[in-house]
């Protein structure tokens, strides 16, 4: 709450620079309000106009929004298009083939430029190769690849032939990969031999082999491997193929598959309140429209811009603001393979200077760690670099504290660049609440106002609006084109997770708490209201980590909570009861290490608990429910001041408070 308090008392306001406002796609508050009013007057007409302006349709749509099967809304369903055609061909046809699409910088600093014409050819060849393997419209292809041109090519090639891709972040374990391959019924897996991060080669193919060997995914008949490092890999003849070998024999012309706007472009797994990740399914038309439109509104994209989003293609940010949004509008963008701290923590600033980046989009957690690095080593301070090309700065993924916001504005943005705090989610497809750079005065720590056409609100547990100044539940009141369509293979979970009956069944429940400012009506996000943690901008379900822990042979019971962390936003704290006596000293340290590694193997290194506390038991009510609010207090190091009268075993609190590993 203290972060919220400080934002609520935040007096600093930063209006858009006049010159930017004058030239912006959405110019001044009046420009913003005109769009909001247009959506209010004729909601469907507003979206139809944007869909026609942003996308090239093979068959124009007649129907805009269909609400008859709510909450399974459809948009532009009788229209046909192809996402890859919209991202590539149409720019080449318009004479922009020579324009640079991707400036790729490898981990070791090697730079490769790819033009739109080149990218179209590479995608065409690979799409033909996928077709030759028998992959067709509607088939699911899992992509487990490093940040690379090839990763973007793989996604675009799937889109080109109407196959639905599901990218699994390269940091996930073989078990997580296996679960996703099985759940989605994948027929092919595209991976790489290894990935390069921070000067080290990390395996991908061997993890993929392990995932496939775990079984349940026998439908995967083809494994396509991008040769990144040339490192040694096991080879399964008949199943494994090199990406370059199958592509180089193909023609570069590849007829796009025209699909309905509702055709599933991709499925991306994300964490929810249960142990099983949700396969969030996105459409082609509505999704792409918003990826393109938000590039123009939120980032006020101009043809002279060099855009850089530092996300990984394994997350939704990498989908919307690397693979689809920038390409859909014909932008030039930087794609980076490596990490911000290699060879030193000045890497981002050096790359901005080298590539003359003008719009830079990153996560608060990266900013916070680079602040720390700059404070201890003047060599990597952004002030040492020429960042004069920057015009707009963005952040995403988690709340940004006002101090980090101010530092970002001052030291990276030279006090001239608006800082755009964008609130959105895997499920929303694109930005939902953000200060448009030429229109909305920014306030540190607040994502300010919803984008035109997005009806965000704060309600109570019954779905009634709360007054500004009161905290509540963040909802979206009307369907929007880029919203998720369903959860793969589990429509009922889609309905109950996002459109709960308690709120009336029609409001989209985001899962975040929020408050609006009394005067400005600006939104401030208060964090998740469910059992989802946000560590370094990555979503992790507490239940997923608990399930992983109890799967270990020594563990009887586990409860996982989050606690605030200066760098990562939140940190994972696990309370563990072993099957044998509570360990102490060296044994406790050894088992804690073993459990951390175990979680790393079960889910991925991002889910490893920062702290593990062993106890003879967990604090439970007499009915056997774990009292998580007490655990949260202990994790924060607070004295437990809550009512513990319903606690069955009060002595346990002291033990858990003292034994952190
Ligand atoms: O809690 C919110 C937080 O990240 C969650 C969505 O995570 P994910 O689906 O992984 O997508 C992340 C990238 C869009 C949200 O429910 N979140 C995201 N952006 C912000 C944020 N919290 C505060 N401020 C933001 N700008």
């Amino acid at each position: 709450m203290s972060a919220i308090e400080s934002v609520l008392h935040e007096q600093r306001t930063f209006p858009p620079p006049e010159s930017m406002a004058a030239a912006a796609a959405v110019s001044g508050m009046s420009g913003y309000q005109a769009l909001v009013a247009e959506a209010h007057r004729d909601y469907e007409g507003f979206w139809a106009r944007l869909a026609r302006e942003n996308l090239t349709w093979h068959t124009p749509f007649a129907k805009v929004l269909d609400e008859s099967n709510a909450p399974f809304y459809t948009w532009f369903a009788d229209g046909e298009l192809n996402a890859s055609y919209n991202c590539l061909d149409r720019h080449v046809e318009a004479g922009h083939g020579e324009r640079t699409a991707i400036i790729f910088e490898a981990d070791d600093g090697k730079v490769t430029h790819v033009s739109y014409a080149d990218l179209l050819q590479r995608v065409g060849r690979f799409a033909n190769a996928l077709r030759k393997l028998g992959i067709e419209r509607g088939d699911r292809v899992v992509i487990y690849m490093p940040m690379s041109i090839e990763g973007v090519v793989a996604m675009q090639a799937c889109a080109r032939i109407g196959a639905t891709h599901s990218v699994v972040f390269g940091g996930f374990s073989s078990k997580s990969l296996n679960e996703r391959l099985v759940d989605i019924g994948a027929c092919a897996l595209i991976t790489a031999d290894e990935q390069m991060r921070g000067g080290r080669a990390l395996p991908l193919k061997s993890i993929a082999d392990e995932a496939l060997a775990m079984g349940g995914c026998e439908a995967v008949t083809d494994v396509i491997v991008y040769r990144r490092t040339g490192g040694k890999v096991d080879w399964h003849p008949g199943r494994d193929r090199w990406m370059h070998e199958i592509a180089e024999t193909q023609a570069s012309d590849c007829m796009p598959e025209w699909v309905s706007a509702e055709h599933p472009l991709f499925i991306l797994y994300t964490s929810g309140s249960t142990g099983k990740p949700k396969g969030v399914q996105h459409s082609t038309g509505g999704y792409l429209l918003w990826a393109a439109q938000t590039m123009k509104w939120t980032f006020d994209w101009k043809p002279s811009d060099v855009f850089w989003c530092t996300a990984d293609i394994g997350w939704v940010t990498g989908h919307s603001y690397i693979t689809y949004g920038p390409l859909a509008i014909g932008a030039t963008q930087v794609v980076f393979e490596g990490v911000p701290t290699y060879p030193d923590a000045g890497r981002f600033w050096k790359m901005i200077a080298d590539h003359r980046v003008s719009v830079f989009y990153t996560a608060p957690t990266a900013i916070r760690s680079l602040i720390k690095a700059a404070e201890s080593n003047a060599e990597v301070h952004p002030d040492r670099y020429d960042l004069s090309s920057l015009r707009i700065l963005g952040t995403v993924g988690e709340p940004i504290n006002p101090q980090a916001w101010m530092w970002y504005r001052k030291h990276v943005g030279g006090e001239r660049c608006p800082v755009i705090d964008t609130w959105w989610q895997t499920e929303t497809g694109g930005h939902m609440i953000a200060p448009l750079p030429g229109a909305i005065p920014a306030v540190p720590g607040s994502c300010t106002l919803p984008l035109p056409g997005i009806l965000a609100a704060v309600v109570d547990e019954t779905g009634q609006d709360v007054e500004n100044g009161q905290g509540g539940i963040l909802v979206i009141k009307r369907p929007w084109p880029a919203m998720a369509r369903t959860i793969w293979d589990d429509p009922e979970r889609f309905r109950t997770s996002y459109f709960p009956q308690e709120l009336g069944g029609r409001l989209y429940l985001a899962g975040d708490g929020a408050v609006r400012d009394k005067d400005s009506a600006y939104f401030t996000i208060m964090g998740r209201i469910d059992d989802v943690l946000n560590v370094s901008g990555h979503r992790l379900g507490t239940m997923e980590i608990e399930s992983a822990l109890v799967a270990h042979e020594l563990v009887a019971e586990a409860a996982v909570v989050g606690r605030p962390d200066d760098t990562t936003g939140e940190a994972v704290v696990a309370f563990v009861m072993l099957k044998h006596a509570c360990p102490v000293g060296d044994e406790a340290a050894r088992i804690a290490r073993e459990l951390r590694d175990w979680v790393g193997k079960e889910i991925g290194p991002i889910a490893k608990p920062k702290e593990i506390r062993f106890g003879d038991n967990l604090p439970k009510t007499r009915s056997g429910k774990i009292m998580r609010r007490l655990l949260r207090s202990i994790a924060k190091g607070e004295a437990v001041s809550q009512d513990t009268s319903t606690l069955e075993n009060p002595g346990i609190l002291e033990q858990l408070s003292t034994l952190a590993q």
Side-chain angles (χ1 to χ4, degrees), residues 270-271 315-317 321 361 364 395-400 420-428 430-431 433 445 447 474 510-513 524-529 532 534 537-540:
T270 190
S271 297
W315 310 114
V316 74
T317 309
Y321 300 106
Y361 192 33
T395 77
V396 59
E398 49 183 322
I400 176 160
I420 313 297
D421 176 0
T422 61
W423 176 84
W424 60 295
Q425 312 175 290
T426 303
E427 295 86 343
T428 71
H431 302 149
I433 310 181
C447 50
L474 179 60
D512 281 314
T524 294
I525 306 298
M526 299 162 70
R528 299 290 304 192
I529 53 171
V532 171
N534 192 325
H538 303 316
R539 241 164 102 164
L540 295 168

Side-chain angles (χ1 to χ4, degrees), residues 228-519:
R228 167 61 186 91
T229 63
K232 202 173 147 332
V233 289
D234 284 344
W235 207 251
H236 298 239
R239 186 197 77 180
D240 298 353
R241 300 157 210 283
W242 290 111
M243 186 173 184
H244 62 275
E245 282 183 7
I246 60 170
E248 71 197 4
T249 53
Q250 296 294 322
S252 59
D253 271 2
C254 174
M255 188 56 191
E257 189 83 9
W258 305 112
V259 297
S260 155
E262 280 299 306
H263 182 75
L265 178 62
F266 67 87
I267 294 163
L268 187 58
Y269 284 84
T270 190
S271 297
S273 302
T274 74
K276 188 171 186 275
K278 308 185 265 200
V280 174
Q281 180 179 320
H282 277 286
S283 70
T284 301
Y287 169 80
L288 195 63
L289 146 65
W290 200 225
Q293 184 65 73
T294 49
M295 283 298 298
K296 298 178 192 165
W297 282 352
T298 316
F299 296 127
D300 189 38
W301 174 77
K302 303 274 183 273
S304 55
D305 277 323
V306 176
F307 177 76
W308 182 18
C309 164
T310 68
D312 191 285
I313 51 167
W315 310 114
V316 74
T317 309
H319 284 58
S320 303
Y321 300 106
I322 294 176
T323 302
Y324 291 110
L327 296 180
I329 60 167
T332 296
Q333 67 173 324
V334 173
V335 174
F336 178 41
E337 181 181 43
V339 297
T341 48
Y342 177 81
D344 61 41
R347 183 72 181 263
F348 275 4
W349 322 134
K350 180 173 185 311
M351 283 181 60
I352 291 171
D354 287 352
H355 303 302
R356 305 295 296 159
V357 171
S358 56
V359 180
F360 180 65
Y361 192 33
T362 195
T365 197
I367 299 169
R368 286 191 295 263
S369 67
L370 295 177
I371 293 175
K372 271 196 187 157
E375 279 170 356
S376 61
N377 175 7
E379 292 292 307
V380 297
H381 199 287
D383 290 351
R384 301 284 288 257
Y385 296 80
D386 173 10
L387 305 182
S388 60
S389 56
L390 286 171
R391 172 166 109 82
I392 291 171
L393 302 175
T395 77
V396 59
E398 49 183 322
I400 176 160
N401 44 314
Q403 300 90 309
W405 194 103
M406 291 299 292
W407 185 92
Y408 192 34
R409 183 184 146 83
K410 180 169 179 201
H411 296 290
V412 183
E415 291 187 293
R416 66 178 190 283
C417 305
V419 174
I420 313 297
D421 176 0
T422 61
W423 176 84
W424 60 295
Q425 312 175 290
T426 303
E427 295 86 343
T428 71
H431 302 149
M432 299 296 275
I433 310 181
L436 305 186
I440 300 176
V443 168
S446 167
C447 50
T448 75
L449 295 173
L451 269 68
I454 302 300
L455 278 84
V458 180
V459 300
D460 64 18
E461 305 78 64
T462 65
Q464 300 304 308
D465 285 0
V466 300
E467 277 175 34
N468 288 353
Q470 305 263 306
I473 301 168
L474 179 60
V475 297
I476 312 296
K477 290 191 158 176
R478 290 190 77 168
W480 67 101
M483 68 194 294
R485 293 301 189 263
T486 188
I487 293 175
W488 174 259
D489 206 24
D490 202 349
E492 210 33 49
R493 189 171 177 199
F494 178 76
R495 184 199 297 278
T496 52
S497 311
Y498 302 117
F499 297 90
Q501 275 313 324
E502 296 83 332
L503 299 182
R506 282 296 179 111
L507 300 176
Y508 169 80
L509 174 69
D512 281 314
V515 59
R516 301 186 74 166
D517 183 77
K518 274 206 184 94
D519 305 317

Side-chain angles (χ1 to χ4, degrees), residues 73-134:
Y73 303 99
T74 66
W75 287 89
F76 323 116
D78 58 355
E80 285 187 316
L81 76 170
N82 179 281
S84 164
Y85 176 87
N86 272 275
C87 291
L88 302 170
D89 308 55
R90 63 171 174 164
H91 308 311
V92 176
E93 287 166 14
H96 303 308
E98 295 314 305
R99 185 186 290 169
T100 300
I102 294 177
I103 303 169
F104 177 71
E105 184 162 319
D107 191 55
D108 65 3
K110 184 167 177 282
V111 175
T112 312
H113 286 244
V114 185
S115 69
Y116 272 91
D118 290 343
L119 192 58
L120 173 60
Q121 293 205 351
R122 290 172 72 153
V123 169
R125 278 204 186 87
F126 190 53
N128 279 329
L130 294 179
R131 269 201 182 131
K132 179 123 189 278
L133 294 174

